[in-house]
Amino acid sequence: MAEDKQETEKTFADLGLCKKLVEACENLGWKKPTKIQEEAIPYALQGKDLIGVAATGSGKTGAFVLPTLEALLKDSQERKSVQPFFVCVLSPTRELAIQIAEQFEALGSDIGVRCVVLVGGEDMLQQSIVLAKKRPHVIVGTPGRLADHLSNTKGFSLHALKYLILDEADRLLSMDFEKSLDEILKAIPRNRRTYLFSATMTNKVKKLQRACLRNPVKIEAAFKYSIVDTLEQGFYFMPAALKDCYLVHVLSSKKGATSMVFTRTCRETDFLALVLRKLGLGAIPINGQMSQSNRLGALNKFKAGEFNILICTDVASRGLDIPSVDVVVNYNIPTNAKDYFHRVGRTARAGRSGLAISLVNQFDIGPFKQIEKHIGDDFKIPKYTANEDEVLLLAERVTEAKRISRKSIKEGGGNKRTDRVDDEDEEDIEKYLGNKNKKLRRK
């Protein structure tokens, strides 16, 4: 059996990549290709269109960066120069676009690859100047900003584009990006290679397949919805009034661990981060309403370990490669089951272990059961238990931290609607404690 395993293991050289790219992989510490890389790269090198499905953290980015760099290098050798605007990669989020560009630059440093990122939140005129001066081989961007440049930046076009890549394709095919994506597809040549990569596959991807892919090879290095074996999952069931107390209980019990806490709204990220800091926990928020510089600043501080808890919306659930996230907490249960897989995919990456904890109350039972159903028909996420008396000991401190945080938000011109909702939450805690005391007195 050991001999069979050794025979089946492949190297990057075995996939058909040139020596320079094999060395680039070695310099990044990539010892052997992942499953999606092993299956996708040979077809890409044959000039096939691809649809790649694999779990988050499985090396999807490398699966499309390496073959496009190989094609770019081959084209430059034939032309005696490297053609600009050769590759375009679309991403649903700014952070993921920046991360993809970093991967291109790291793997293509020895072959002189020039890469430009086009995302919102940055000065468009400055981006136009960089495009004109740098004449990049690779453009990585969000659909809206790329469409803006195609319409408004003089002299910029993608008429010579050879490769179009959609990362997190299912998200890009949502209604949010439909108009921008249609504009881009009209502005680029039909005679090109097209790659779609995602952790989850939807019918919308099939729709795009009919529109712009040519006899694509579908590579499914994972089930439709998959969880890596190294991820431990569990949930706490609690009254809605005690959710903040349970959150503090979980984070305190994992003190020192690197954690990502997913919420539903932008204002929840800001408020929760403030509350947790008042309680002595190192939390920092990130959400789509922050400026690009503030978002990157928060992400870099989290990566550097200045803060060990990142409070985020689903803007951080896709594609971000933060090497050592120990715990993912679902503060709000996502209403769309596939978002759960993207969230928990932030931990247990590249063979490491990780923990995903969901805070489930009486209003979350339906969506939570849908998540279990998508994992497997007979699968049940294990239920964790906590000593509720211990959790209730946190109630007074949590309530006070929320009061102080609310006051800080009001003094800073905060949202009155948020303040009102939080007052109601506080009343719920007090009501719950009052009812519990009444039951104890009856006994």
Side-chain angles (χ1 to χ4, degrees):
M1 291 292 291
E3 290 179 4
D4 292 341
K5 185 178 179 182
Q6 191 173 10
E7 287 175 5
T8 58
E9 284 187 353
K10 291 186 178 180
T11 66
F12 284 102
D14 293 332
L15 303 184
L17 294 170
C18 68
K19 186 178 179 181
K20 283 188 177 180
L21 290 178
V22 171
E23 289 174 353
C25 292
E26 291 172 354
N27 292 337
L28 289 180
W30 295 6
K31 296 178 181 178
K32 61 180 182 179
T34 64
K35 186 178 180 184
I36 185 66
Q37 292 166 356
E38 184 178 323
E39 295 188 20
I41 290 173
Y43 284 115
L45 295 178
Q46 293 171 27
K48 303 285 188 181
D49 284 6
L50 299 178
I51 297 176
V53 187
T56 54
S58 61
K60 292 194 302 296
T61 307
F64 62 76
V65 170
L66 286 167
T68 50
L69 287 177
E70 179 81 22
L72 185 62
L73 187 59
K74 185 178 179 181
D75 185 76
S76 69
Q77 290 168 346
E78 292 174 355
R79 293 172 176 268
K80 306 299 182 184
S81 64
V82 186
Q83 180 181 330
F85 309 125
F86 191 84
V87 182
C88 176
V89 186
L90 295 178
S91 153
T93 68
R94 303 168 186 177
E95 290 76 18
L96 179 54
I98 292 165
Q99 192 168 282
I100 292 167
E102 289 172 349
Q103 195 104 105
F104 269 103
E105 289 168 347
L107 288 167
S109 58
D110 287 343
I111 59 175
V113 168
R114 299 191 301 271
C115 187
V116 163
V117 177
L118 300 179
V119 296
E122 303 281 343
D123 184 78
M124 195 165 165
L125 179 59
Q126 187 61 38
Q127 288 177 344
S128 302
I129 294 169
V130 172
L131 280 172
K133 285 185 176 180
K134 201 169 183 180
R135 300 284 289 170
H137 314 119
V138 180
I139 291 175
V140 187
T142 48
R145 179 49 60 96
L146 180 61
D148 287 343
H149 277 289
L150 287 169
S151 299
N152 303 311
T153 299
K154 189 176 180 180
F156 172 63
S157 77
L158 294 176
H159 66 271
L161 187 75
K162 300 297 182 185
Y163 284 83
L164 174 68
I165 301 164
L166 273 62
D167 194 18
E168 301 297 347
D170 62 328
R171 178 74 181 89
L172 288 170
L173 293 166
S174 69
M175 294 293 289
D176 297 341
F177 299 102
E178 186 175 16
K179 183 181 177 183
S180 298
L181 192 57
D182 286 345
E183 290 176 16
I184 293 166
L185 290 172
K186 289 175 184 176
I188 61 177
R190 294 186 66 85
N191 184 24
R192 63 174 190 271
R193 297 272 69 82
T194 305
Y195 301 159
L196 308 184
F197 279 84
S198 186
T200 53
M201 195 57 69
T202 69
N203 290 330
K204 290 180 182 177
V205 174
K206 294 176 184 176
K207 181 180 178 182
L208 187 66
Q209 173 185 336
R210 292 193 298 271
C212 65
L213 281 82
R214 296 180 299 174
N215 300 317
V217 177
K218 184 176 180 181
I219 297 144
E220 209 158 352
F223 295 108
K224 185 177 180 183
Y225 297 96
S226 64
I227 300 291
V228 295
D229 294 337
T230 53
L231 176 67
E232 177 188 341
Q233 299 175 83
F235 77 96
Y236 287 98
F237 186 71
M238 73 213 65
L242 298 185
K243 184 161 67 170
D244 291 332
C245 297
Y246 269 84
L247 175 65
V248 174
H249 171 75
V250 168
L251 294 175
S252 298
S253 68
K254 304 294 179 185
K255 198 167 186 178
T258 304
S259 305
M260 293 179 72
V261 178
F262 283 95
T263 71
R264 189 170 293 124
T265 66
C266 295
R267 62 175 181 249
E268 276 180 322
T269 65
D270 295 331
F271 185 71
L272 270 183
L274 194 56
V275 170
L276 292 174
R277 287 201 299 273
K278 299 294 182 189
L279 293 167
L281 296 167
I284 189 168
I286 185 171
N287 61 62
Q289 291 184 356
M290 295 167 64
S291 69
Q292 183 61 22
S293 59
N294 286 341
R295 279 163 68 170
L296 285 177
L299 194 59
N300 289 334
K301 287 176 181 178
F302 180 63
K303 286 183 174 181
E306 292 182 43
F307 295 85
N308 69 309
I309 302 169
L310 188 68
I311 313 294
C312 46
T313 58
D314 281 313
V315 72
S317 71
R318 291 179 180 252
L320 293 188
D321 187 14
I322 304 167
S324 56
V325 176
D326 303 309
V327 183
V328 166
V329 179
N330 288 298
Y331 178 79
N332 296 121
I333 303 302
T335 52
N336 190 330
K338 70 181 179 183
D339 289 333
Y340 175 86
F341 296 86
H342 289 286
R343 289 181 180 187
V344 302
R346 299 308 98 212
T347 185
R349 297 175 72 82
R352 289 182 289 268
S353 61
L355 174 64
I357 297 175
S358 298
L359 305 182
V360 181
N361 62 48
Q362 63 269 35
F363 307 111
D364 299 323
I365 294 173
F368 190 69
K369 286 190 176 297
Q370 283 298 311
I371 290 167
E372 290 183 320
K373 184 178 178 181
H374 279 87
I375 297 174
D377 289 337
D378 299 321
F379 183 82
K380 298 293 180 186
I381 295 175
K383 182 179 180 180
Y384 292 165
T385 57
N387 185 322
E388 191 169 283
D389 289 335
E390 289 183 9
V391 175
L392 288 173
L393 289 175
L394 297 166
E396 186 176 345
R397 289 179 59 218
V398 169
T399 300
E400 183 62 20
K402 290 175 72 174
R403 281 176 178 157
I404 295 170
S405 299
R406 192 179 309 110
K407 185 179 179 182
S408 297
I409 291 172
K410 279 183 179 179
E411 290 173 350
N415 188 306
K416 291 182 179 179
R417 184 181 171 192
T418 303
D419 300 335
R420 181 180 58 78
V421 170
D422 291 332
D423 284 333
E424 290 172 355
D425 289 344
E426 185 179 312
E427 289 170 8
D428 285 342
I429 293 176
E430 292 171 351
K431 185 177 179 181
Y432 179 84
L433 292 173
N435 289 338
K436 187 176 177 67
N437 289 332
K438 285 179 183 177
K439 289 179 183 177
L440 290 172
R441 284 197 295 271
R442 286 195 197 107
K443 290 181 180 179

